[in-house]
């Protein structure tokens, strides 16, 4: 993403580049002072963009989000190396409530809403933060998610999976975030609901300038929405790039999309066998 204005270098105009909104460098996270879950992970999210992290179970995706958001110490999990800069501020040692106040909101994979409260009461429980300048009201989120408007008096525990995901995102919006991180946005949801959520994310990026970091096991879903994607395996970034770059990589096509060279679709059994032999090259 570029900023307005240019600098002169050697008689030529050089366009200035804006620093990333989020920059994670060489991140290492250790569980119980013994097991390393994330090893040397470096990612960035530019202002006003949608970035994705893909990988299978145990790849380190959720741990990476938790480290960024500050949800670490309760489970005896520690950042032992690296930097996490948000809007130019070092946040890796900050508690979660301070990170949230700076403008980062996390939508977790589980336990993302208050199940015993109504939709309206879930939204009423949200506390505004210091993120985006524009203030989003409950009326705004109901307009963005009409399914919630018709069920505002319903106890949240009775919502469908898609409606719960919508409510969780709506709750983060009321905190005025600059960056929303969503863990497994499409998991267990029907394709039509996933498409609705993706369109909502695009709308929020376009109209409010909110950036997104989305974790997905479904690589095809990630590529539909993200401008840039990181592939995590065994706690490491093994490949990254734009949609075209990932689609042009044989390993990514074969393992994450199940497409063999030549376009042949592979079976799940074949993909499991391939996992043992694949190698990543630039």
């Amino acid at each position: 993403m570029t900023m307005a204005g240019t600098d002169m270098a050697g008689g030529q105009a050089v366009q200035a580049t804006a620093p990333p909104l989020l920059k994670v460098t060489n991140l290492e996270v250790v569980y119980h002072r013994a097991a390393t879950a994330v090893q040397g992970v470096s990612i960035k999210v530019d202002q006003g963009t949608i970035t994705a992290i893909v990988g299978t179970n145990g790849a380190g995706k959720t741990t990476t989000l938790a480290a960024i958001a500050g949800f670490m110490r309760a489970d005896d999990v520690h950042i032992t190396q690296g930097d996490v800069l948000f809007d130019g501020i070092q946040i890796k040692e900050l508690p979660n409530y301070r990170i949230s106040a700076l403008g980062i909101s996390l939508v977790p994979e589980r336990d993302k809403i208050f199940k015993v409260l109504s939709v309206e009461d879930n939204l009423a429980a949200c506390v505004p933060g210091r993120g985006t300048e524009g203030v989003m009201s409950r009326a705004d989120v109901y307009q963005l998610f009409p399914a919630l408007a018709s069920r505002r008096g319903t106890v949240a525990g009775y919502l469908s999976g898609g409606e719960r995901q919508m409510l969780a995102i709506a709750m983060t919006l009321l905190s005025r975030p600059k960056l929303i991180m969503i863990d497994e946005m499409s998991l267990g949801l029907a394709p039509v609901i996933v498409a609705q959520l993706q369109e909502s994310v695009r709308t929020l990026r376009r109209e409010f300038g909110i950036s997104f970091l989305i974790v997905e096991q479904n690589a095809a879903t990630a590529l539909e929405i993200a401008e840039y994607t990181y592939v995590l395996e065994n706690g490491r970034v093994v490949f990254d790039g734009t949609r075209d770059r990932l689609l042009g990589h044989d390993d990514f096509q074969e393992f994450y999309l199940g497409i063999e060279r030549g376009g042949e679709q592979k079976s799940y059994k074949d993909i499991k066998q391939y996992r043992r032999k694949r190698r990543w090259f630039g």
Side-chain angles (χ1 to χ4, degrees), residues 112-235:
K112 57 188 71 179
I113 58 173
F114 299 110
K115 296 178 184 179
V116 298
L117 299 181
S118 68
V119 169
E120 182 75 8
D121 288 341
N122 266 272
L123 296 176
C126 300
V127 178
R130 300 202 310 257
T132 54
E133 293 297 327
V135 177
M136 186 170 286
S137 66
R138 272 177 268 177
D140 294 325
V141 299
Y142 283 138
Q143 184 174 2
L144 184 65
F145 299 111
L148 297 181
S150 63
R151 306 202 67 186
R152 66 182 68 192
T154 302
V155 173
Y158 292 109
L159 299 178
S160 68
E163 289 167 341
R164 292 186 187 194
Q165 189 71 284
M166 293 175 189
L167 178 56
I169 296 173
M171 292 168 67
T172 69
L173 293 174
L174 295 180
S175 69
R176 307 178 197 172
K178 298 178 182 178
L179 171 68
I180 295 178
M181 303 191 299
I182 307 177
D183 195 0
E184 302 292 3
M185 183 175 77
S186 69
L187 186 64
L189 302 181
V192 64
I193 300 300
V194 174
Q196 291 173 9
L197 288 169
Q198 289 180 331
E199 186 55 36
S200 297
V201 166
R202 294 188 185 101
T203 298
L204 289 167
R205 186 269 304 273
R206 181 177 62 251
E207 296 186 7
F208 293 91
I210 298 174
S211 304
F212 287 85
L213 178 59
I214 297 174
V215 155
E216 277 286 354
Q217 287 191 48
N218 189 325
T221 298
L223 293 186
E224 286 179 7
I225 192 171
E227 288 107 345
Y228 203 90
T229 299
Y230 295 87
V231 181
L232 256 65
E233 291 185 3
N234 300 315

Side-chain angles (χ1 to χ4, degrees), residues 27 58 64 153 278:
L27 181 69
T64 299
R278 71 188 184 280

